[in-house]
Amino acid sequence: MAQAMLERLQSLSERFAEIEGLLARPEVATDPIRLQELARERASLEDVVGLYEQFVSVNRQLEDALVILDEGDDEDLRALAQEELSSLERRRNELEDRIRMALLPKDRNADKDVIVEIRAGTGG
């Protein structure tokens, strides 16, 4: 994954943690407008941050499996690490794709309400 994307994900994760801290403050809890704004922003970041946290976890597990492959003396343990390595690489690639999709710009009209009127047709 590109370094710029990782930096953006890290900053989104930090903002998510900041919002959660703000939501816990009593002065925010008593201001319904501010509370709603923060809750809306938190909800928009929640999916991306969750995917990023999973991505970081999978990368750590991959690093651990590579260490076992490089330094492990037990053949059974190395075989298990090799199996886990291929599974983790597939999972990491899947998460990368999902993160890219989640980072695409949202439609600015997606959060707006819409009224749909259905009328009976006329004619013969």
Side-chain angles (χ1 to χ4, degrees):
M1 188 174 287
Q3 185 65 29
M5 187 181 295
L6 289 174
E7 289 172 2
R8 180 164 182 229
L9 288 168
Q10 180 61 35
S11 69
L12 290 175
S13 180
E14 290 168 1
R15 176 63 182 155
F16 185 79
E18 179 184 349
I19 291 171
E20 288 194 326
L22 289 171
L23 287 171
R25 291 183 153 174
E27 62 269 13
V28 173
T30 58
D31 182 1
I33 294 172
R34 180 78 171 133
L35 183 66
Q36 187 178 30
E37 289 171 355
L38 288 172
R40 194 174 292 135
E41 185 178 358
R42 182 190 180 283
S44 71
L45 296 176
E46 190 170 17
D47 291 337
V48 175
V49 171
L51 290 170
Y52 174 65
E53 289 172 354
Q54 290 178 36
F55 181 79
V56 169
S57 174
V58 167
N59 275 338
R60 273 194 219 113
Q61 293 173 24
L62 272 168
E63 290 172 5
D64 293 345
L66 288 172
V67 168
I68 291 172
L69 281 176
D70 291 342
E71 300 173 2
D73 295 331
D74 185 7
E75 287 302 316
D76 292 334
L77 186 60
R78 292 184 77 209
L80 286 173
Q82 183 63 41
E83 287 179 31
E84 186 178 3
L85 189 67
S86 62
S87 171
L88 288 171
E89 286 175 345
R90 279 193 305 274
R91 178 73 178 139
R92 182 180 63 183
N93 292 336
E94 174 188 314
L95 286 169
E96 279 185 36
D97 292 341
R98 290 179 63 193
I99 287 171
R100 282 190 178 97
M101 291 300 292
L103 287 176
L104 288 176
K106 305 286 188 261
D107 182 5
R108 59 187 169 100
N109 293 322
D111 292 336
K112 296 183 179 177
D113 294 332
V114 65
I115 297 174
V116 177
E117 184 177 340
I118 301 173
R119 294 185 183 192
T122 59

